[in-house]
Amino acid sequence: MPVESTPQKHSWADEVGEEFDQLPSDNSIDETGIKTVIEYRTNDEGKKVKITRKIKKTLITTHVNKIVAERKKWEKFGEEKGKKDGPDLSTTSVSEQVFLKLSTTGKQTEVTEDIDSAKKKLLLGKKILCRICKGDHFTTKCPYKDTLQPLDELTIVLEEVKNPPNAETTPAETTTGPTKYVPPNARAGGKTASTDTYSKERRDDATIRVTNLSEDTTENDIHDLFRRFGSISRVYLARDRETNVCKGFAFVSFVLRDDAAKALQAINGYGYDNLILRVEWAK
Amino acid sequence: MRPILLQGHTRSLTQIKYNAEGDLLFSVSKDHVVNVWYSHNGERLGTYNGHVGAIWSVAVNSSSTLTLTGSADNAAKLWEVRTGKCLHTWEFKTAVKRVAFSEDDSMVLVVTEQRMGYPGSVVILSINQDINAIQSDEPITIIHPEGSKAMVADWGYLNNYIITGHENGTISQYDWKTGDLIKSIQPHTAELTDLQMSEDRTYFITSSKDKSAQIFESNTLSPLKKYVTDAPLNSAAITPVQEFVILGGGQDAMHVTTTGARQGKFECRFWHKILEEEVGRVKGHFGPINTISVHPSGESFSSGGEDGYVRVHHFDQDYFKFKYPDL
């Protein structure tokens, strides 16, 4: 598309309007047609600033139908009446770049399907137990989903570790079709409503509260201290609003509750920065 | 590519149309405004003011001298393209949903809505190409499709017949001289949202809310290709030069809450016309895509969305270099 990389009729020089310094402003035209304009200014902080602008004017000639060329000369009418030539910025703007990636698929989706089927095979070995009725199906697929309450709180906690990998692969599988282009958000391991709210709820179960922290503890310190127990999904360090020093406690959310439990066991009573830390479940 | 964003409308776009040379792009919207733009840089040429209801459709003749718009204010207006002057208004009993010029510009078909006891109809009007001439109010023919109402329609080649798409998914072929039904098929399971002819009008593509788009041969109405997607489609267009079709639509209702948060998510999908495979997508719209039109030279395309924006895309060089690898 022919795009002129030039400034419009009102040049930057008019906008500047400030006094030029003693140093001369330079105008030079290179062999390649690039015009270099150097200008010296004092900016807001009182510092001398050298501004170099390189401008290249390209004239692109396209052959168009004679009628098309005539139409270009038409006078504007309606809401555009009286407006000057060229696109009006209130109605026309250039959007950000989009990429049309043309691909002959088939190969890509085969790979993702293999990963999914491999995962499924791994999980077939484990026993799938419904929390509501203890049947041989996922809790979400339970026929008594709306009627019975979960039987045991503890077993929920334990099985949550087992169930999430199951739940995540099944939606991914159903969305990939045979030999079709799969957009990024629908591919395996993508974000869906169930995983989104599910992960938020799960995170709260895998969150520990660590107290008796020293004042100069930072999020990074907490992160470094707890990362050896497993992957951390979030660290929240309580800070005083005015002074920004640590208030003495923090919340660490792990991805897996088991990791949170391990961290709890290990850090509770651990000495850090001359203070004995105390760790508890956040709930 | 860097699409040009045209912000000339405050409400959702209903149709966009290139003229025969492709240098002008007409856009109409529910905000009663008809805009015409220069397609190569997005500069607005002018507006046609006069309608008092949502405008559903626009058509332009092959010499780009006249344009016809159909609106929900029960009127179809003929405008002089160059000056914006309204040359004639035809009044109907119900809203006008679709207008189309015949290949030789001598006639125009107007699809009217079915409402309040008035049946839907397809009205054939004759058009005088002279700007200063008085247009006739008397229609040549009025066709009342039986059963389901017509949503979209267009002309066959050499004015042989008109093709209509209906609310129940049927496609019919009518003889406009007599108003008789020649042929009818029911390939779709939900209402047809768009019908666009190929360059020579020997085949056409239809898009439907049943999440599929199909290509049919004009004479026999035999199905040629089918493209099944996961979202209800609002528009489909055939690209010249490269063997693609562009489909645009909404999003499957189920996925709106999960993915709608990310902006600019609604996409124009490119499918290979012959091989019936999706080859790419172009993101950018903030709402469902309502209308797609391709430049007659195949070098660019435009899409109009529910968000009120028209995006004009000029293809990069690698679009034209794309070829399927030898099997």
Side-chain angles (χ1 to χ4, degrees), chain A residues 189-253:
Chain A
K191 186 175 106 153
T192 64
S194 54
T195 54
D196 205 50
T197 50
Y198 189 53
S199 60
K200 274 198 211 142
E201 290 165 358
R202 233 172 10 95
R203 262 208 343 242
D204 291 341
D205 288 342
T207 307
I208 51 172
R209 178 177 59 240
V210 50
T211 43
N212 205 25
L213 292 168
S214 72
E215 259 183 14
D216 46 21
T217 314
T218 63
E219 282 91 349
N220 270 334
D221 296 335
I222 303 291
H223 193 85
D224 291 336
L225 180 62
F226 285 96
R227 56 196 273 213
R228 41 192 287 251
F229 302 103
S231 33
I232 297 173
S233 103
R234 193 169 183 251
V235 166
Y236 173 71
L237 186 78
R239 284 180 181 283
D240 184 79
R241 207 144 42 107
E242 267 90 64
T243 64
N244 248 7
V245 299
C246 167
K247 270 195 153 171
F249 65 95
F251 288 92
V252 183
S253 304

Side-chain angles (χ1 to χ4, degrees), chain B residues 240-305:
Chain B
V241 179
Q242 277 281 42
E243 306 272 18
F244 296 140
V245 291
I246 313 179
L247 313 175
Q251 226 181 0
D252 206 7
M254 278 198 296
H255 295 136
V256 169
T257 51
T258 64
T259 47
R262 282 202 352 238
Q263 289 205 315
K265 225 234 133 245
F266 295 86
E267 304 160 311
C268 288
R269 301 145 196 252
F270 279 73
W271 283 64
H272 196 273
K273 184 167 70 179
I274 315 292
L275 301 172
E276 292 170 322
E277 261 188 15
E278 185 165 347
V279 287
R281 296 194 182 193
V282 176
K283 282 195 217 208
H285 276 285
F286 297 88
I289 293 156
N290 286 342
T291 172
I292 297 177
S293 194
V294 186
H295 192 287
S297 70
E299 283 172 1
S300 64
F301 83 98
S302 300
S303 55

Side-chain angles (χ1 to χ4, degrees), chain B residues 114-288:
Chain B
Q114 167 194 321
R115 202 169 282 154
M116 291 194 300
Y118 294 110
S121 67
V122 182
V123 181
I124 313 289
L125 301 163
S126 95
I127 301 284
N128 191 324
Q129 298 301 305
D130 185 3
I131 293 171
N132 302 314
I134 299 172
Q135 304 289 346
S136 155
D137 268 321
E138 194 59 41
I140 302 172
T141 329
I142 304 179
I143 303 169
H144 293 288
E146 276 168 26
S148 181
K149 67 175 184 193
M151 311 280 301
V152 290
D154 210 337
W155 294 86
Y157 58 83
L158 301 176
N159 297 350
N160 44 10
Y161 42 69
I162 60 168
I163 311 246
T164 58
H166 299 257
E167 197 184 14
N168 61 355
T170 49
I171 298 175
S172 308
Q173 209 184 59
Y174 283 91
D175 179 1
W176 57 270
K177 293 191 205 73
T178 59
D180 294 333
L181 174 70
I182 307 171
K183 201 176 278 151
S184 181
I185 51 166
Q186 181 151 21
H188 285 290
T189 50
E191 68 176 87
L192 258 77
T193 47
D194 198 7
L195 193 150
Q196 292 198 23
M197 288 276 168
S198 67
E199 279 175 283
D200 56 2
R201 298 181 189 252
T202 52
Y203 61 98
F204 60 92
I205 187 167
T206 58
S207 63
S208 163
K209 288 227 152 82
D210 68 357
K211 306 180 193 174
S212 77
Q214 298 190 37
I215 292 190
F216 301 91
E217 199 197 327
S218 304
N219 279 337
T220 59
L221 290 189
S222 54
L224 297 174
K225 296 289 169 190
K226 186 166 182 174
Y227 316 98
V228 182
T229 64
D230 60 350
L233 296 171
N234 291 335
S235 189
I238 305 169
T239 61
V241 179
Q242 277 281 42
E243 306 272 18
F244 296 140
V245 291
I246 313 179
L247 313 175
Q251 226 181 0
D252 206 7
M254 278 198 296
H255 295 136
V256 169
T257 51
T258 64
T259 47
R262 282 202 352 238
Q263 289 205 315
K265 225 234 133 245
F266 295 86
E267 304 160 311
C268 288
R269 301 145 196 252
F270 279 73
W271 283 64
H272 196 273
K273 184 167 70 179
I274 315 292
L275 301 172
E276 292 170 322
E277 261 188 15
E278 185 165 347
V279 287
R281 296 194 182 193
V282 176
K283 282 195 217 208
H285 276 285
F286 297 88

Side-chain angles (χ1 to χ4, degrees), chain A residues 8-264:
Chain A
Q8 291 300 324
K9 295 219 168 80
H10 50 276
S11 74
W12 51 266
D14 299 334
E15 289 164 11
V16 167
E18 284 175 350
E19 281 140 19
F20 283 65
D21 229 345
Q22 288 87 359
L23 295 162
S25 34
D26 202 5
N27 279 7
S28 62
I29 297 180
D30 266 345
E31 313 89 46
T32 52
I34 298 175
K35 181 175 164 185
T36 311
V37 183
I38 300 171
E39 184 211 334
Y40 295 91
R41 269 214 283 158
T42 345
N43 70 358
D44 298 324
E45 292 165 21
K47 295 189 182 150
K48 226 178 279 179
V49 165
K50 177 185 179 186
I51 300 170
T52 317
R53 276 175 234 259
K54 290 196 175 169
I55 302 160
K56 183 173 183 184
K57 287 193 186 183
T58 325
L59 187 64
I60 301 168
T61 328
T62 40
H63 285 111
V64 292
N65 218 317
K66 191 166 87 167
I67 311 170
V68 171
E70 277 177 25
R71 268 186 231 135
K72 201 65 180 71
K73 296 191 203 130
W74 279 359
E75 233 177 66
K76 297 197 178 184
F77 54 89
E79 293 289 319
E80 286 286 308
K81 192 162 183 170
K83 291 200 184 156
K84 49 187 180 165
D85 282 337
D88 185 355
L89 286 168
S90 62
T91 52
T92 314
S93 54
V94 180
S95 188
E96 48 188 50
Q97 220 172 13
V98 288
F99 296 97
L100 173 56
K101 193 162 163 276
L102 296 171
S103 61
T104 58
T105 59
K107 282 182 197 168
Q108 287 176 18
T109 49
E110 271 172 44
V111 172
T112 51
E113 279 199 73
D114 284 343
I115 296 169
D116 290 340
S117 49
K119 269 192 199 168
K120 197 127 208 235
K121 280 183 201 155
L122 278 174
L123 296 162
L124 280 174
K126 297 187 189 164
K127 241 195 265 180
I128 299 164
L129 215 63
C130 165
R131 275 170 278 166
I132 298 170
C133 66
K134 300 293 176 198
D136 189 23
H137 47 253
F138 293 131
T139 313
T140 46
K141 307 276 180 245
C142 182
Y144 304 104
K145 195 162 60 161
D146 297 320
T147 53
L148 298 174
Q149 287 290 320
L151 294 174
D152 200 331
E153 287 283 357
L154 275 174
T155 48
I156 295 169
V157 166
L158 286 173
E159 272 155 45
E160 248 175 309
V161 180
K162 265 194 284 172
N163 283 335
N166 301 347
E168 265 167 48
T169 48
T170 39
E173 267 189 71
T174 49
T175 47
T176 51
T179 62
K180 271 207 167 87
Y181 168 77
V182 181
N185 53 301
R187 282 182 202 152
K191 186 175 106 153
T192 64
S194 54
T195 54
D196 205 50
T197 50
Y198 189 53
S199 60
K200 274 198 211 142
E201 290 165 358
R202 233 172 10 95
R203 262 208 343 242
D204 291 341
D205 288 342
T207 307
I208 51 172
R209 178 177 59 240
V210 50
T211 43
N212 205 25
L213 292 168
S214 72
E215 259 183 14
D216 46 21
T217 314
T218 63
E219 282 91 349
N220 270 334
D221 296 335
I222 303 291
H223 193 85
D224 291 336
L225 180 62
F226 285 96
R227 56 196 273 213
R228 41 192 287 251
F229 302 103
S231 33
I232 297 173
S233 103
R234 193 169 183 251
V235 166
Y236 173 71
L237 186 78
R239 284 180 181 283
D240 184 79
R241 207 144 42 107
E242 267 90 64
T243 64
N244 248 7
V245 299
C246 167
K247 270 195 153 171
F249 65 95
F251 288 92
V252 183
S253 304
F254 285 88
V255 173
L256 301 170
R257 200 190 149 93
D258 270 2
D259 295 341
K262 275 189 267 174
L264 194 151

